[in-house]
Amino acid sequence: MTEKDERVEEFKLEKDSEFRFELVDHSTGHLEILDGMAEVFGTELVKARKYVFDKGTKASVYTWHGCHIKLTGKTEVAYISKDTPMVMYVNMHVALEQMRMNAEKERVRGPRVMVVGPADSGKSTVCRLLLNYAVRIGRTPVFIDLDVGQSDVSIPGTIGALTVERPADVEEGFNQCAPLVFHYGHVTPATNLKLYNILVSRIADVVNMKCDASKKANLSGIIVNTGGWVRGAGYDSLKHAAGSFEVDLIIVMYEERLYTELKKDMPEFVRLVLLPKSGGVVVRSQSYRGDARERKVREYFYGPRNNLFPHTFEVKFSEVKLFKIGAPTLPDSCLPLGMKSQDNKTKIVPVQPSTSLVHHVFSVSNANSPEENLIEINVLGFIVMVEINLEKQCFTVLSPSPRPLPKSILLQFDMQFIDIQ
Ligand SMILES: Nc1ncnc2c1ncn2[C@@H]1O[C@H](COP(=O)(O)OP(=O)(O)OP(=O)(O)O)[C@@H](O)[C@H]1O
């Protein structure tokens, strides 16, 4: 596919059709709706507003009744398709709403849904659609993102949950005002599956508490997004997540093998639905995913439109305590008697200040002391070590808020962020 020059194009969409586009990696695009009604992944577009889409965006505009739109920008692909699974997705939403209404009558909890499927099968998009449709009719479901590679709740390397109270912003996604976030530190569950599973159980416990405390959230139900690792240990961790959240419905994106395996392994009360993958879902390369992760961290500090102003300040070594979760795995034969290599995976390892920490991202833990269970305590936010001065015994950090840091225990990510615009 050849790259077109930036240009203004208008498209007339018939009812039940979608306009799919991919912007090139180096330029943003603008979209306007000129006539009719349309939505982007379940969020309605407002007339006379110019929506700005980030570089490399891959998205679609769907219309139930027909519309006329204008796109300005450099696209790699831009086309209209009438072959969309949207009716099936909306039927799914209707079924969930039916479950909520039944739950209301029977005074039980609303649907607990988990969306699974291989990488690039449209899981996040289906979650976003179902959440948007739910809030559009007054529900407030809890969204949990277990995808540590491409989280829609917080930065990569974390798992998080938020109560969705309004539709996702077309440009910026869900409002991430007060998410509950736990530090994992890596961008794939495989790096430390033991820790990952502990965090999944922990976040499930907290979500259960939230649902016990809020009747509305309990009735609205939960929607859990998962990562694309669906074989071997990845499959086991999906089963673990299903058990932790006590899900009663699993949506499997297009893969029959996964559907059949889960059908066999899940208890009877768990319903399984196989949904087709949209022809518009784009397969993203490793480098695109890496760039997307970096963009996500940048967005955390600078805002989605470069509209935030982070702070840089010095922090004395003595003011903070740095830790990493998990020590390198040693063969069992090298460990003290009775200890297993798996125990190392949840070990809290103190990290000494050194120049190797430059550019590393750190979570600011909500813990008050290292004696607390650092793994299972949520995090307040993130900083980046911009500079380390061993002589002055201080770090220079990039932080979303001005000094001082809210708490003093910092947890190290594998991930680095180099702050160049
Ligand atoms: N109908 C569509 N038209 C155009 N682009 C789409 C459509 N549906 C999804 N996409 C895009 O395809 C990409 C992959 O979709 P999505 O993130 O939902 O998949 P996923 O299964 O959650 O991916 P993974 O778990 O591997 O990160 C995203 O960039 C999304 O915006």
Side-chain angles (χ1 to χ4, degrees), residues 39-332:
E39 53 187 50
V40 171
F41 302 141
T43 308
E44 274 187 292
L45 294 175
V46 177
K47 252 186 232 159
R49 183 177 152 188
K50 236 184 199 176
Y51 292 93
V52 184
F53 285 94
D54 211 359
K55 302 163 190 163
T57 294
K58 302 160 194 328
S60 77
V61 179
Y62 178 81
T63 179
W64 292 101
H65 304 290
C67 71
H68 183 182
I69 52 172
K70 181 165 97 177
L71 179 74
T72 313
K74 279 187 189 176
T75 55
E76 282 192 29
V77 186
Y79 65 99
I80 295 173
S81 173
K82 277 206 65 74
D83 182 15
T84 121
M86 277 295 282
V87 173
M88 270 175 268
Y89 294 171
V90 92
N91 282 342
M92 191 69 246
H93 156 70
V94 173
L96 294 185
E97 186 50 27
Q98 195 64 51
M99 288 167 81
R100 290 184 192 109
M101 287 185 321
N102 288 343
E104 222 156 2
K105 263 192 241 143
E106 288 163 25
R107 294 171 186 270
V108 291
R109 67 184 178 200
R112 297 194 148 217
V113 186
M114 184 165 97
V115 182
V116 302
D120 296 314
S121 55
K123 299 179 292 299
S124 311
T125 307
V126 164
C127 289
R128 183 161 163 173
L129 268 171
L130 295 175
L131 290 163
N132 275 338
Y133 286 148
V135 280
R136 278 168 63 177
I137 53 169
R139 303 295 186 180
T140 55
V142 178
F143 174 43
I144 301 109
D145 204 336
L146 303 181
D147 186 352
V148 287
Q150 316 278 326
S151 171
D152 281 335
V153 170
S154 187
I155 68 169
T158 62
I159 64 173
L162 51 88
T163 306
V164 183
E165 286 170 336
R166 59 182 110 122
D169 185 275
V170 170
E171 299 158 350
E172 296 169 16
F174 289 110
N175 183 333
Q176 295 174 358
C177 242
L180 170 76
V181 182
F182 290 94
H183 173 96
Y184 171 63
H186 319 279
V187 294
T188 150
T191 313
N192 192 340
L193 198 57
K194 184 171 181 194
L195 173 64
Y196 180 79
N197 285 337
I198 290 175
L199 293 174
V200 170
S201 304
R202 173 68 182 141
I203 201 163
D205 286 347
V206 181
V207 167
N208 286 340
M209 280 191 264
K210 155 97 192 167
C211 290
D212 287 344
S214 158
K215 198 175 154 206
K216 197 168 178 199
N218 199 30
L219 263 181
S220 300
I222 66 171
I223 296 190
V224 185
N225 188 27
T226 57
W229 186 26
V230 296
R231 298 278 181 266
Y235 177 73
D236 292 339
S237 87
L238 287 182
K239 288 196 292 184
H240 171 77
S244 304
F245 286 99
E246 298 165 13
V247 300
D248 38 40
L249 180 83
I250 301 182
I251 298 176
V252 184
M253 296 308 298
Y254 102 96
E255 211 196 65
E256 265 182 68
R257 170 176 165 178
L258 182 59
Y259 173 83
T260 317
E261 279 174 341
L262 285 168
K263 190 115 198 144
K264 200 170 68 207
D265 291 342
M266 283 292 118
E268 225 153 76
F269 68 87
V270 179
R271 279 186 262 181
L272 276 127
V273 177
L274 185 65
L275 278 186
K277 165 177 161 175
S278 163
V281 175
V282 181
V283 175
R284 292 157 300 167
S285 64
Q286 281 309 319
S287 79
Y288 180 91
R289 283 170 184 272
D291 291 350
R293 283 198 269 273
E294 199 194 301
R295 263 202 306 276
K296 201 81 196 184
V297 180
R298 174 170 301 285
E299 252 179 55
Y300 173 78
F301 289 103
Y302 289 93
R305 304 266 152 261
N306 256 336
N307 51 348
L308 298 179
F309 301 95
H311 302 257
T312 313
F313 52 86
E314 287 185 353
V315 177
K316 289 199 199 104
F317 289 172
S318 58
E319 289 175 69
V320 286
K321 291 189 177 71
L322 315 182
F323 296 96
K324 206 172 156 169
I325 304 173
T329 317
L330 295 170
D332 286 346

